[in-house]
């Protein structure tokens, strides 16, 4: 079937990221909105500014253990409840400024947000943010993507340093 990604506002549909959740929905990162495709019902639900979304480009998605789908975006980072589609965000009031090009969660359910100059780790259990600037002893170049490996280690692609393997517990010890 074909899905119309240009609802009533006729905004051109440039897709920046897609991710499936465990319920089988496909989350689609678009310009100015998130589309949630329910393929079995052949329907799509859009979340945009009217629903509280404060961003314009949505790049990547990762689910957390609490039923939320987190996403990275150019302006800020946010999450949407998978069940009731309510929008929440991580912003200046929590100590987070800026956007991210990639997002993933680690084995301790922390949310990692990757941007060109900062790696931000948010621990929702502690409501705590830790930032690592890229001009540090860990990063000599800009990270471009990241993921949690099956062994719990963090893998990051960078613009000039290749791929880095990091132990999150060593990085995050205070």
């Amino acid at each position: 079937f074909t899905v119309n990604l240009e609802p009533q506002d006729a905004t051109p549909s440039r897709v920046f990221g897609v991710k499936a959740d465990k319920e089988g929905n496909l989350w689609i990162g678009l310009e100015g909105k998130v589309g949630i495709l329910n393929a079995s019902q052949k329907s799509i639900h859009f979340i945009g500014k009217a629903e509280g979304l404060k961003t314009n480009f949505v790049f990547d998605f990762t689910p957390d253990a609490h039923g939320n789908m987190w996403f990275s975006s150019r302006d800020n980072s946010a999450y949407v409840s998978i069940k009731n589609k309510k929008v929440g965000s991580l912003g200046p009031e929590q100590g987070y400024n800026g956007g991210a090009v990639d997002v993933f969660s680690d084995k301790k359910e922390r949310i990692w947000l990757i941007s060109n100059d900062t790696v931000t780790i948010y621990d929702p259990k502690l409501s705590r943010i830790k930032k690592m600037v890229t001009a540090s002893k860990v990063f000599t170049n800009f990270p471009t993507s990241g993921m949690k490996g099956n062994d719990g280690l963090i893998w990051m692609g960078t613009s000039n340093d290749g791929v880095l393997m990091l132990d999150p517990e060593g990085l995050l010890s205070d």
Side-chain angles (χ1 to χ4, degrees):
F1 72 98
T2 302
V3 177
N4 178 15
L5 293 177
E6 297 179 18
Q8 54 278 38
D9 66 3
T11 302
S13 296
R14 295 178 12 188
V15 175
F16 297 103
V18 294
K19 177 77 102 183
D21 65 26
K22 62 183 174 186
E23 283 78 30
N25 298 308
L26 185 65
W27 292 70
I28 305 166
L30 300 160
E31 186 171 352
K33 59 189 170 253
V34 171
I36 306 166
L37 174 66
N38 182 320
S40 64
Q41 294 179 3
K42 297 185 180 179
S43 66
I44 190 162
H45 175 77
F46 290 97
I47 296 174
K49 289 186 181 183
E51 293 78 21
L53 190 64
K54 299 175 186 174
T55 189
N56 56 2
F57 294 97
V58 178
F59 299 120
D60 192 24
F61 300 89
T62 194
D64 70 13
H66 308 288
N68 298 310
M69 183 66 81
W70 285 82
F71 52 89
S72 60
S73 67
R74 180 162 53 179
D75 302 322
N76 69 355
S77 290
Y79 57 90
V80 174
S81 166
I82 294 172
K83 185 176 182 178
N84 63 21
K85 311 300 186 261
K86 298 278 187 206
V87 176
S89 66
L90 188 60
E93 55 280 354
Q94 292 89 14
Y96 179 73
N97 296 310
V101 295
D102 198 9
V103 60
F104 62 94
S105 62
D106 65 18
K107 70 180 182 179
K108 290 195 173 180
E109 301 173 7
R110 294 172 292 215
I111 305 297
W112 291 63
L113 298 152
I114 313 296
S115 72
N116 285 337
D117 59 359
T118 308
V119 174
T120 302
I121 302 103
Y122 174 64
D123 188 334
K125 293 177 187 171
L126 303 174
S127 295
R128 187 176 106 180
I129 286 181
K130 178 156 183 155
K131 295 179 184 179
M132 294 182 287
V133 293
T134 56
S136 68
K137 62 182 178 182
V138 177
F139 304 106
T140 58
N141 238 299
F142 300 126
T144 56
S145 63
M147 65 170 274
K148 172 193 73 165
N150 290 339
D151 53 6
L153 296 174
I154 302 299
W155 294 86
M156 286 200 189
T158 66
S159 60
N160 286 328
D161 287 338
V163 176
L164 302 175
M165 179 185 70
L166 309 168
D167 176 359
E169 301 320 308
L171 278 177
L172 297 175
S173 61
D174 291 328

